[in-house]
């Protein structure tokens, strides 16, 4: 029961954070309210939907309207308070990072609750955290962030590995969740702040 409550809270917080991120990107493209809502809901539930389909369970947002309502609240927040939030451009990045970390942990915990091994749970966490952003970028005709050089999906993988390590050591779940969450956020913040990235692939052109 306690774990179910924690998962639910994490999913709601992640939904709001990711919806804010998606709606902000839609606003930058001058979408109307409906378009903004579609982008917000796509990024908020996209990764979790893929996760649940792969786990052969009913997608989480189909069991209660709270996630749709949460996205609507995010839309109203951006619509009415966007002018005060716009100068704080770093806040948008923070929302995206919070959503990434929260959804990654939610994906890991739900996968473990369904009896999946840890290595599968880490993959599911990564999908939950990053797939919604891919859907958002496709809808907005942007190159998906996870294919850029900046660290994004790899932060999910490292955070998942930390979760695995701490759980294997018998650390209480509350501490494990907090440490894993902070790990993902710190990696993302440091990667952007200091321009840390993975090596890029280079094509070899044949010389005639």
């Amino acid at each position: 029961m306690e774990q179910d409550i924690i998962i639910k809270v994490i999913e709601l917080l992640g939904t709001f954070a990711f919806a804010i991120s998606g709606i902000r990107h839609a606003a930058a493209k001058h979408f109307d309210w409906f378009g903004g809502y579609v982008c917000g809901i796509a990024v908020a539930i996209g990764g979790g939907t893929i996760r649940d389909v792969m786990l052969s369970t009913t997608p989480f947002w189909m069991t209660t309207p709270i996630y749709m309502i949460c996205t609507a609240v995010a839309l109203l927040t951006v619509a009415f308070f966007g002018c005060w939030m716009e100068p704080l451009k770093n806040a948008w990045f923070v929302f995206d990072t919070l959503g990434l970390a929260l959804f990654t942990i939610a994906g890991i915990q739900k996968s473990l609750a369904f009896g999946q091994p840890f290595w599968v749970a880490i993959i599911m966490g990564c999908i939950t955290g990053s797939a919604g952003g891919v859907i958002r970028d496709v809808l907005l005709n942007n190159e998906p962030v996870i294919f850029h050089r900046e660290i994004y999906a790899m932060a999910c993988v490292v955070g998942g590995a930390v979760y695995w390590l701490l759980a294997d050591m018998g650390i209480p779940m509350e501490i494990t969740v907090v440490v894993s969450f902070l790990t993902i956020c710190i990696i993302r913040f440091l990667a952007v702040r200091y321009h840390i990235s993975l090596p890029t692939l280079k094509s070899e052109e044949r010389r005639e």
Side-chain angles (χ1 to χ4, degrees):
M1 181 64 67
E2 179 182 356
Q3 183 174 355
D4 291 341
I5 293 175
I6 293 175
I7 291 175
K8 187 67 66 177
V9 171
I10 288 175
E11 285 187 338
L12 286 175
L13 291 174
T15 298
F16 184 77
F18 260 18
I20 286 284
S21 173
I23 294 167
R24 187 268 298 183
H25 281 81
K29 292 272 189 175
H30 303 292
F31 281 26
D32 61 16
W33 280 37
F34 178 76
Y37 185 83
V38 170
C39 287
I41 200 67
V43 69
I45 71 173
T49 300
I50 295 174
R51 173 204 64 207
D52 289 345
V53 170
M54 295 180 71
L55 291 175
S56 300
T57 186
T58 302
F60 68 100
W61 59 270
M62 296 179 66
T63 61
T64 172
I66 188 62
Y67 301 101
M68 301 297 179
I69 296 172
C70 188
T71 303
V73 172
L75 175 66
L76 294 175
T77 300
V78 174
F80 290 107
F81 301 103
C83 57
W84 287 278
M85 300 173 69
E86 184 60 27
L88 304 175
K89 294 184 178 180
N90 289 335
W92 300 121
F93 169 69
V94 171
F95 274 121
D96 187 72
T97 300
L98 291 177
L100 178 69
L102 290 167
F103 266 30
T104 298
I105 294 172
I108 291 172
Q109 291 192 322
K110 190 164 188 177
S111 299
L112 292 176
F114 273 76
Q116 297 296 329
F118 251 112
W119 66 272
V120 173
I122 293 174
I123 295 174
M124 290 296 183
C126 185
I127 290 174
T128 307
S130 61
V134 174
I135 297 173
R136 174 202 65 204
D137 292 337
V138 170
L139 288 175
L140 295 174
N141 198 29
N142 295 330
E143 183 178 359
V145 174
I146 66 170
F147 300 147
H148 292 179
R149 293 182 58 192
E150 63 182 61
I151 301 296
Y152 194 82
M154 283 304 300
C156 304
V157 174
V158 175
V162 170
Y163 190 108
W164 184 357
L165 177 62
L166 295 179
D168 190 58
M169 293 171 59
I171 304 299
M173 186 176 65
E174 293 81 3
I175 298 176
T176 298
V177 168
V178 171
V179 173
S180 301
F181 172 83
L182 291 177
T183 298
I184 296 172
C185 290
I186 290 173
I187 289 175
R188 183 90 172 104
F189 291 147
L190 292 179
V192 172
R193 173 65 178 81
Y194 296 103
H195 306 288
I196 302 172
S197 63
L198 297 174
T200 57
L201 294 172
K202 300 183 183 299
S203 62
E204 295 183 1
E205 298 182 358
R206 294 182 179 180
R207 296 182 179 179
E208 296 182 357

